[in-house]
Amino acid sequence: MEIKLSSPLDMHLHLREGDMLKTVVPLTADTFAGAVIMPNLVPPVDNLERLRAYRAEILEGVGGHAFEPFMTLFLKNYTEEQLLAAREEIIGIKLYPAGITTNSSGGVASLEAAEQTLALMEKLGIRLMVHGETNAFVMDREADFLPVYERWAQKFPKLQIVMEHITTASAVALLDRYENLHATVTLQHLLITLDDVAGGLLNPHLFCKPIAKRPEDREALAAAALQAHPKLSFGSDSAPHPISKKECCGCAAGVFTAPIALQVLAGFFEEHGKLDNLQTFVSDNAHRIYGVTPPTKTVTLEKTPFTIPAKYGEVVPMWAGREIAWSVKSVA
Ligand code: NCD
Ligand code: ZN
């Protein structure tokens, strides 16, 4: 059995910098035609000069692959002039509540104070992408943030808002209530619950923010993805950390899935008899929602077993060592 995917897109990706970037960029650029690049570097990507330099570093790492990085800025208070200058070079601006996840200490301390920039973004047609968690109890952080999405969706009706890496059934339900709300969902949140992270022996390689939730949440996310819900895009949130930062006390949050995402998705959609919807979920929805035109790339996946490597460089992928049913046959 085979499936051909046309120009798959990853609408939420962490590439880091330096040696880590060199290791991970080709692992995405091999099979994806484009990806939304997250700005949570140290220091963050919060000005055009840094954004251009970062984009150049990514393109150098891409080598011969046909791959388009869609750049984002890290949200702070920007002037209208700054936003106008950046508009053509970004796919959106990413809002991190301060301290909520990896490298987010420079995020917004006050959501209310951020609204002046959101109003300007609405006026200029710049998309807002949000890490939607509060500092409530860890399992409740996303649910606690949902009223903020609702408030902004109403207050800024022309602002396109992407709820990044949604993990709850309640977030899925919001998609149908506000025309200007969209979402991404990761690979791991379609497949795992908190049980896989911490229900048996602790698995640091499945630890990420937002934390995986309850079975009924996973089921709602899976149902939306499998039907290729028109307001949902695939965003892996593949977030590499060196093994020393994962297998330690004080494990960093982030699951590394870039090199296995399409193969695992093919198996997941096939198991549920929905392989025909995979193209829409990993490509067509994002093309339409974000209005992007990445390079043309055809990825052929085949139902031939593949054993996930123990490591890619210094990074342990999700499900390292596990045999999965699908593999990449060719990329053209
Ligand atoms: C991401 C990272 O490592 O940069 N970690 C994660 O757990 N998802 C940041 C993020 O998207 O929250
Ligand atoms: Zn992320």
Side-chain angles (χ1 to χ4, degrees):
M1 199 188 320
E2 280 188 9
I3 180 172
K4 280 192 197 307
L5 295 175
S6 166
S7 299
L9 295 173
D10 182 347
M11 303 313 282
H12 184 130
L13 179 67
H14 298 271
L15 291 176
R16 316 304 189 200
E17 294 175 272
D19 289 343
M20 180 62 91
L21 178 146
K22 288 193 183 75
T23 301
V24 301
V25 168
L27 299 173
T28 285
D30 181 25
T31 50
F32 287 92
V36 173
I37 312 302
M38 289 296 138
N40 62 329
L41 307 182
V42 187
V45 182
D46 66 359
N47 62 77
L48 262 188
E49 196 186 342
R50 178 130 168 82
L51 182 123
R52 287 176 184 151
Y54 189 36
R55 183 178 152 85
E57 186 184 1
I58 293 166
L59 289 176
E60 196 178 316
V62 164
H65 298 285
F67 177 79
E68 181 69 23
F70 302 114
M71 306 305 291
T72 61
L73 279 174
F74 191 96
L75 192 134
K76 62 181 188 188
N77 284 334
Y78 290 110
T79 63
E80 183 163 355
E81 200 180 9
Q82 288 171 320
L83 292 172
L84 257 179
R87 184 165 64 172
E88 301 308 318
E89 298 183 44
I90 57 175
I91 195 164
I93 301 184
K94 177 77 186 285
L95 184 154
Y96 292 92
I100 208 68
T101 189
T102 306
N103 303 342
S104 65
S105 55
V108 305
S110 154
L111 295 173
E112 282 69 34
E115 291 190 0
Q116 59 183 42
T117 300
L118 305 193
L120 289 171
M121 289 167 64
E122 180 187 39
K123 178 176 165 195
L124 299 177
I126 298 175
R127 178 178 291 105
L128 172 69
M129 296 150 153
V130 185
H131 185 115
E133 292 195 285
T134 67
N135 56 8
F137 174 67
V138 67
M139 288 289 281
D140 298 336
R141 286 176 190 177
E142 182 174 294
D144 200 41
F145 196 91
L146 295 182
V148 179
Y149 283 128
E150 295 206 61
R151 186 167 79 237
W152 287 347
Q154 289 168 17
K155 188 164 179 182
F156 307 108
K158 296 231 155 55
L159 179 66
Q160 290 296 319
I161 304 172
V162 184
M163 303 186 285
E164 296 293 336
H165 44 53
I166 56 171
T167 60
T168 57
S170 327
V172 175
L174 270 196
L175 286 175
D176 296 324
R177 295 227 289 275
Y178 298 94
E179 190 260 315
N180 55 338
L181 278 189
H182 291 84
T184 58
V185 67
T186 74
L187 181 66
Q188 65 268 19
H189 293 113
L190 297 175
L191 297 164
I192 68 167
T193 68
L194 185 60
D195 251 6
D196 298 279
V197 186
L201 295 178
L202 188 68
N203 187 338
H205 300 295
L206 297 180
F207 172 65
C208 66
K209 300 289 177 67
I211 195 102
K213 304 291 189 311
R214 308 180 65 84
E216 52 271 35
D217 293 307
R218 192 203 63 80
E219 278 157 29
L221 297 166
L226 289 165
Q227 71 173 70
H229 189 295
K231 298 184 83 182
L232 188 63
S233 304
F234 177 63
S236 70
D237 196 15
S238 179
H241 292 276
I243 191 168
S244 59
K245 291 267 163 56
K246 293 294 286 178
E247 297 186 3
C248 63
C249 184
C251 164
V255 178
F256 182 60
T257 54
I260 59 157
L262 292 178
Q263 302 91 310
V264 174
L265 281 174
F268 178 67
F269 275 66
E270 189 225 346
E271 271 168 35
H272 291 86
K274 296 288 185 195
L275 211 44
D276 287 349
N277 287 347
L278 184 55
Q279 172 66 32
T280 310
F281 175 63
V282 292
S283 179
D284 301 351
N285 277 354
H287 279 81
R288 175 177 42 78
I289 294 167
Y290 298 80
V292 290
T293 47
T296 309
K297 179 178 276 187
T298 305
V299 181
T300 306
L301 301 163
E302 63 180 351
K303 198 171 178 187
T304 301
F306 165 70
T307 302
I308 298 177
K311 280 189 207 175
Y312 292 86
E314 278 307 294
V315 188
V316 178
M318 183 176 90
W319 290 355
R322 187 187 288 200
E323 186 181 280
I324 58 174
W326 286 72
S327 48
V328 176
K329 183 182 180 191
S330 62
V331 181

